Amino acid sequence: MTMKKPAAAAKKTDAASSAAKRKVAPPTLVRGMRDLLNPEWAYRDKMYDIARKISMDYEYDRIETPVMEETALFVRGIGKMTDIVEKEMYSFETVGGEKVTLRPEATAPVSRAYLQHGMLNRPQPVKLWYWGPMYRHDRPQSGRYRQFTQFGCECIGDSAAVLDAQQAFIAWKVLDLLGIESVVHINSIGTPESRANYKNALVAYFRTKKHKLSEDDKKRLAKNPMRLLDSKDPGMDELKAEAPQIVDWLDEASKAHFMQVLEYLDEMGVPYQLDPYLVRGLDYYTKTVFEIFAVSEDPEVSKLALGGGGRYDGLIEQLGGNPTPACGFSLGVDRVINRLREIDPELGSKTEPREVYVAQLGDQGRKKAFAIFEQLRAAGIRASGALSKDAIKAQMELANKRGAKWAIIIGQKEVLDGTVIIRDMDSGTQETVDAKKIVHEIQRKLGV
Ligand code: HAM
């Protein structure tokens, strides 16, 4: 019997099919954003496991702050005149009128959380670690992403130099455990007072060279003269070499603190390099600052820092708390992974072979296979299967592909008998066993 389509329904179907025919451009990614697919996760999981373990070994507690904070937190914390706050923040107003920013980093948020949760009443220092996405509207290129992940540690409430060294050590150790050779570039930028004197000397020097500065560097001279030291302008190398160096302007306490940090690094065998030009792009630092770079013959590889950190004794007070010394670091997970992929290209393609493959015939068999797969999984046996498949030949091919030593086959007859077939994938021999004993049988065959 044929049924006639009612006119309205027919019209609707025609409209739908012509809409389907009209090609709609598929949605694309927002510029600078990335999907993270395999094999990326093999590397990320490896780094995450190491980062988590070492954080726990060094008695750091996990913290996760929200990706969105009040804009004022970053303006006050990182500094109004920094590149991050001036150019790179994803800031917007919510429908409720709040001015918010997707976090460009986590030190200011963790410090906010320290204050908000009254952590100053806990035994000091409070040691916290995090792993999560950060957002900076940087120019997208290899190693510079607009959403990137940081792993970091913050140690708040203690001024001891050994803790600065511990931050650099943990960052370096994570890379070392991943098989990445790295070197810590380190400097001291002293207290705000000693830095103010140094800044004056620096400005006086660069004013005499103003005619040689690029337009960007002239702006830096006016707004944030310390940033002239990490200017990438090729003409700057010569000018920097003649410029006053911060070590000569450090107060005695900062100098002694820095010497101690270096002694601890010597003691722990951390490779480091003194870098008088290292000033960092965030205003909250005091005394120790460091960055960590991969060691490689290829200048492109060792160009971008894998991580950075230092001491930030003034930040908590700047955010409204009591004066509270602190230090920390963050590793750029994406950059570390890029390096790891270069030195261990195989890691991402390694798949763990499965011990058993569960195959089925017919709908009753499928139900049983579903349940047996779960019993095997719960018993810690690495099983594979393709529940939606019907043809046994295709399923046996999959079993071979997955490296299974044994296949469990459940057909209509086995369901009725309460049995399953176990097939030795190498010899092709089969035996029938009681379905209730399947986990035990497989464990026996695997010798567990
Ligand atoms: P930072 O140097 O701005 O420091 O960032 C740390 C690391 O994050 C960098 O060394 C880099 O590996 C990675 N990173 C930064 N920007 C990007 C980007 N656009 N794409 C990919 N990776 C990037 C901080 O964020 C401080 N909060 C570190 C700290 C913690 N200081 C004290 N405690």
Side-chain angles (χ1 to χ4, degrees):
M1 190 178 77
T2 52
M3 291 229 292
K4 252 195 175 165
K5 272 197 250 171
K11 234 185 197 167
K12 235 182 192 172
T13 323
D14 291 348
S17 71
S18 67
K21 269 180 217 148
R22 244 185 287 127
K23 271 250 176 274
V24 180
T28 54
L29 276 168
V30 172
R31 192 166 135 77
M33 298 288 150
R34 299 180 305 152
D35 294 317
L36 300 177
L37 309 174
N38 266 338
E40 178 84 13
W41 285 102
Y43 296 95
R44 283 191 173 244
D45 288 347
K46 182 171 178 177
M47 180 174 174
Y48 180 81
D49 290 346
I50 289 173
R52 179 172 179 272
K53 167 101 174 44
I54 202 164
S55 302
M56 286 164 68
D57 289 350
Y58 275 85
E59 298 178 285
Y60 282 70
D61 282 340
R62 179 83 193 243
I63 183 168
E64 188 165 316
T65 59
V67 293
M68 196 191 291
E69 297 270 1
E70 284 181 357
T71 301
L73 169 66
F74 300 113
V75 178
R76 277 163 78 185
I78 299 172
K80 219 175 182 165
M81 298 302 191
T82 56
D83 281 357
I84 295 180
V85 170
E86 272 197 335
K87 301 190 261 193
E88 296 173 1
M89 295 210 300
Y90 280 90
S91 300
F92 55 96
E93 209 172 294
T94 66
V95 280
E98 295 153 301
K99 289 190 167 57
V100 297
T101 294
L102 297 183
R103 62 178 180 198
E105 62 99 53
T107 308
V110 169
S111 301
R112 185 222 15 92
Y114 174 89
L115 286 171
Q116 194 143 5
H117 300 282
M119 293 192 211
L120 73 167
N121 298 319
R122 295 189 192 171
Q124 305 291 301
V126 172
K127 303 199 290 183
L128 302 164
W129 75 278
Y130 50 85
W131 174 291
M134 311 292 154
Y135 301 85
R136 294 185 195 175
H137 197 270
D138 218 340
R139 200 153 52 86
Q141 53 189 291
S142 171
R144 266 184 216 285
Y145 309 107
R146 290 183 171 174
Q147 176 180 316
F148 57 97
T149 303
Q150 279 186 349
F151 154 63
C153 290
E154 309 293 350
C155 178
I156 306 178
D158 202 316
S159 59
V162 68
L163 298 173
D164 306 35
Q166 191 187 61
Q167 302 310 310
F169 175 79
I170 295 175
W172 172 80
K173 192 71 203 172
V174 168
L175 298 175
D176 182 52
L177 290 169
L178 283 165
I180 297 175
E181 198 188 339
S182 70
V183 58
V184 175
H185 287 209
I186 193 161
N187 192 19
S188 173
I189 56 169
T191 58
E193 297 75 38
S194 64
R195 200 157 57 247
N197 293 335
Y198 172 66
K199 256 189 214 166
N200 289 338
L202 199 66
V203 170
Y205 167 79
F206 275 111
R207 276 215 184 113
T208 65
K209 314 282 175 199
K210 206 168 172 183
H211 57 287
K212 295 188 179 168
L213 297 184
S214 68
E215 283 312 305
D216 269 356
D217 284 341
K218 276 185 193 144
K219 274 189 215 149
R220 286 195 180 110
L221 178 60
K223 283 192 190 168
N224 198 349
M226 300 268 289
R227 297 293 291 170
L228 282 167
L229 297 178
D230 58 19
S231 162
K232 302 290 175 282
D233 195 80
M236 279 296 275
D237 287 352
E238 223 174 279
L239 296 184
K240 281 195 299 194
E242 298 287 310
Q245 292 204 352
I246 191 144
V247 278
D248 300 324
W249 293 79
L250 289 183
D251 53 288
E252 287 309 313
S254 296
K255 226 183 261 175
H257 184 94
F258 191 38
M259 291 317 292
Q260 281 179 31
V261 174
L262 299 181
E263 279 165 24
Y264 289 118
L265 294 181
D266 284 331
E267 180 69 25
M268 297 301 286
V270 177
Y272 66 84
Q273 207 170 296
L274 298 178
D275 184 346
Y277 304 130
L278 183 68
V279 290
R280 309 274 294 134
L282 307 105
D283 279 356
Y284 49 61
Y285 290 111
T286 53
K287 297 185 178 165
T288 318
V289 286
F290 61 86
E291 280 182 342
I292 186 158
F293 292 88
V295 174
S296 164
E297 302 281 284
D298 180 351
E300 282 305 303
V301 168
S302 38
K303 206 169 72 181
L304 290 176
L306 297 182
R311 181 158 279 287
Y312 51 95
D313 289 347
L315 178 58
I316 304 258
E317 192 180 3
Q318 205 157 323
L319 298 181
N322 294 329
T324 309
C327 57
F329 77 88
S330 311
L331 283 177
V333 171
D334 309 75
R335 290 187 190 173
V336 174
I337 299 304
N338 288 351
R339 181 66 188 139
L340 203 51
R341 288 176 84 148
E342 282 162 359
I343 60 174
D344 187 3
E346 298 298 307
L347 179 71
S349 53
K350 281 176 203 148
T351 51
E352 222 182 353
R354 297 279 147 164
E355 294 166 317
V356 189
Y357 190 92
V358 186
Q360 66 283 330
L361 272 170
D363 282 341
Q364 293 306 318
R366 198 178 332 272
K367 273 188 200 150
K368 273 275 167 256
F370 198 162
I372 285 176
F373 186 97
E374 175 54 20
Q375 285 168 28
L376 295 166
R377 189 204 63 76
I381 296 165
R382 286 198 310 276
S384 181
L387 281 170
S388 61
K389 299 267 182 280
D390 289 315
I392 201 73
K393 186 161 173 269
Q395 293 185 70
M396 289 304 102
E397 278 166 14
L398 282 172
N400 277 326
K401 256 196 203 150
R402 304 295 284 117
K405 176 100 184 61
W406 311 96
I408 296 168
I409 303 166
I410 311 142
Q412 205 75 358
K413 178 174 181 314
E414 286 73 35
V415 173
L416 290 174
D417 295 351
T419 59
V420 298
I421 294 167
I422 301 179
R423 179 184 171 95
D424 180 325
M425 292 302 292
D426 291 333
S427 66
T429 54
Q430 300 195 160
E431 60 183 306
T432 300
V433 302
D434 183 346
K436 287 196 202 78
K437 295 191 181 140
I438 184 63
V439 170
H440 176 74
E441 271 304 315
I442 295 293
Q443 279 171 332
R444 198 176 56 76
K445 286 184 187 298
L446 293 171
V448 288

XYZ file of all heavy atoms in Angstrom, residues 3 38 54 56 99 101 108 111 148 156 176 234 252 285 320 348 358 400-401 419:
153
model
N 1.275 5.362 0.651
C 0.585 6.444 1.368
C 0.929 7.758 0.711
O 2.068 8.009 0.346
C 1.056 6.460 2.826
C 0.557 5.253 3.583
S -0.172 5.689 5.130
C 1.212 6.260 6.061
N 45.014 13.144 19.719
C 46.146 12.215 19.773
C 47.019 12.456 18.557
O 46.488 12.816 17.519
C 45.637 10.773 19.757
C 45.499 10.277 21.176
O 46.117 10.795 22.092
N 44.678 9.267 21.348
N 55.757 14.755 41.250
C 56.818 15.548 41.884
C 56.202 16.612 42.794
O 56.732 16.890 43.877
C 57.804 16.132 40.844
C 59.132 16.458 41.532
C 57.307 17.336 40.130
C 60.290 16.662 40.596
N 53.475 16.317 44.488
C 53.064 15.613 45.702
C 54.275 15.213 46.534
O 54.260 15.327 47.764
C 52.191 14.411 45.348
C 50.804 14.862 44.920
S 49.872 13.599 44.078
C 49.608 12.443 45.393
N 33.657 43.499 34.907
C 34.813 43.533 33.992
C 35.690 42.333 34.335
O 36.252 42.255 35.445
C 35.598 44.827 34.174
C 34.847 46.033 33.645
C 35.739 47.254 33.624
C 35.155 48.390 32.817
N 33.833 48.828 33.263
N 38.461 38.970 32.961
C 39.556 38.605 32.054
C 39.788 37.104 32.149
O 39.745 36.534 33.244
C 40.838 39.367 32.470
O 40.626 40.762 32.241
C 42.048 38.924 31.681
N 48.878 35.493 40.083
C 47.969 36.470 40.696
C 46.691 35.775 41.206
O 46.289 36.008 42.359
C 47.666 37.596 39.719
N 47.474 33.888 44.381
C 47.676 34.824 45.488
C 46.327 35.351 45.981
O 46.113 35.523 47.183
C 48.557 35.995 45.037
O 49.794 35.500 44.605
N 46.995 28.262 26.139
C 48.085 27.319 26.394
C 47.958 26.840 27.838
O 47.245 27.441 28.642
C 49.452 27.983 26.146
C 49.689 29.221 26.967
C 50.407 29.159 28.146
C 49.164 30.434 26.580
C 50.608 30.298 28.917
C 49.361 31.582 27.343
C 50.087 31.518 28.516
N 54.060 30.163 49.157
C 53.706 31.486 49.690
C 53.882 31.539 51.205
O 53.398 30.648 51.924
C 52.237 31.828 49.316
C 52.041 31.692 47.797
C 51.876 33.238 49.777
C 50.632 31.954 47.309
N 63.926 17.175 33.308
C 64.935 16.116 33.363
C 64.259 14.735 33.339
O 64.679 13.837 32.601
C 65.746 16.318 34.660
C 66.861 15.305 34.801
O 67.640 15.177 33.843
O 66.945 14.634 35.851
N 67.930 43.605 16.936
C 69.327 43.172 16.744
C 70.347 44.248 17.132
O 71.413 43.947 17.663
C 69.421 42.843 15.254
C 68.081 43.069 14.659
C 67.135 43.549 15.693
N 72.528 44.968 49.665
C 73.324 43.872 50.238
C 72.480 42.624 50.511
O 72.901 41.501 50.234
C 74.012 44.330 51.538
C 75.181 45.278 51.310
C 76.189 44.753 50.280
O 76.581 43.573 50.369
O 76.567 45.521 49.358
N 57.756 40.677 40.270
C 58.962 39.999 40.762
C 59.852 40.876 41.632
O 59.935 42.100 41.444
C 59.788 39.452 39.592
C 59.112 38.281 38.921
C 58.602 38.389 37.639
C 58.964 37.073 39.595
C 57.960 37.323 37.033
C 58.325 36.007 38.990
C 57.820 36.130 37.713
O 57.188 35.075 37.125
N 46.302 43.659 48.647
C 45.526 44.037 49.834
C 45.822 43.202 51.066
O 45.165 43.373 52.103
N 53.990 8.895 20.836
C 52.582 9.089 20.490
C 51.979 7.938 19.715
O 50.762 7.757 19.729
N 36.619 -9.448 22.775
C 35.280 -10.010 22.989
C 34.472 -9.830 21.703
O 34.250 -8.697 21.268
C 34.570 -9.310 24.172
C 33.238 -10.011 24.465
C 35.456 -9.312 25.418
N 43.081 -9.491 15.907
C 44.509 -9.593 15.528
C 45.184 -8.222 15.553
O 46.287 -8.077 16.043
C 44.645 -10.213 14.134
C 44.567 -11.732 14.216
O 45.023 -12.336 15.206
N 43.964 -12.351 13.215
N 44.460 -7.239 15.001
C 45.019 -5.873 14.961
C 45.320 -5.356 16.357
O 46.282 -4.637 16.574
C 44.003 -4.929 14.302
C 44.381 -4.572 12.904
C 43.591 -3.368 12.451
C 43.551 -3.385 10.934
N 42.348 -2.788 10.417
N 27.270 -20.587 27.980
C 28.716 -20.812 27.783
C 29.310 -19.691 26.913
O 28.567 -18.852 26.403
C 28.971 -22.152 27.059
O 28.298 -22.105 25.795
C 28.520 -23.342 27.879
